[in-house]
Amino acid sequence: MAVVDDEPLVRAGLRTTLNSADDMCVVVACAGAEALEALRDQNLGVVLLDIRMPMIDGLSLLPRITAMPNPSAVAVLTTFDASECIDAALGAGAAGYLMKNSTPEHLVQSVRTLAAGGQVLGPEATSRVIGGHLVMRVAALSGRERQVLSLLGSGLGNREIAERLHLAHSTAKDHVSAVLAKLGGLNRVQAAVVADRARPSATRMFDR
């Protein structure tokens, strides 16, 4: 895995924390300006990326990292929890958004989730993402679209959703696209968080 942050002390601390886990190894730890060269030709499962860095902004680096021949799961690790930063990162392809005040245990578990193909959001990012989407926009979905949202929240892909709901793959794909659009243009990560938060208080809504 890799850590991209302009603060040497932060890089050292993250390397120590992550390398303490038996199943992890920080192969690359570098500043933002060095990231593209350092990550070139690497086959790393996870990249933790800071946002606010001199020389080059993390949000500018993000799509260039995910476009590499051997793309990694990139999670933003930052001190900034502004809605615009979260939206920009997730919209640019980030698989997660974590805060630097995360506990070591939470950070290690988040990296494991990312390495397994999952998506992660810290508590601060979760509350920002949900914002005003939950009540009004989920309620406006059709019964079938609520089922699709619930399955998105369980981490299912389009093909799995199609199988679960006995639909053609193309139909399931259309439903997913409609759900994301009706939720205000969210991506799958954001929609999964909305579904997860909505489920405890709206079980009947998803079961219709």
Side-chain angles (χ1 to χ4, degrees), residues 36-120:
L36 294 178
E37 184 62 32
L39 295 174
R40 196 181 311 278
D41 300 324
Q42 295 282 356
N43 189 13
L44 304 176
V46 176
V47 174
L48 298 181
L49 176 67
D50 193 14
I51 287 184
R52 300 289 174 85
M53 297 183 288
M55 304 294 290
I56 185 166
D57 188 88
L59 292 177
S60 299
L61 278 173
L62 201 161
R64 299 172 70 181
I65 294 173
T66 57
M68 286 182 167
N70 298 308
S72 306
V74 182
V76 167
L77 182 64
T78 183
T79 58
F80 297 95
D81 65 350
S83 297
E84 58 268 25
C85 291
I86 298 170
D87 291 343
L90 297 179
Y97 199 101
L98 301 167
M99 305 303 295
K100 287 184 177 178
N101 62 3
S102 300
T103 65
E105 295 79 12
H106 182 258
L107 182 60
V108 167
Q109 186 54 51
S110 294
V111 169
R112 289 190 178 118
T113 298
L114 291 163
Q119 302 148 340
V120 295

Side-chain angles (χ1 to χ4, degrees), residues 6 10 16 33 52 90 102 130 158 177 182 184 203:
D6 270 59
V10 173
T16 298
R52 300 289 174 85
L90 297 179
S102 300
I130 290 174
N158 292 351
S177 297
K182 288 184 179 181
T203 302

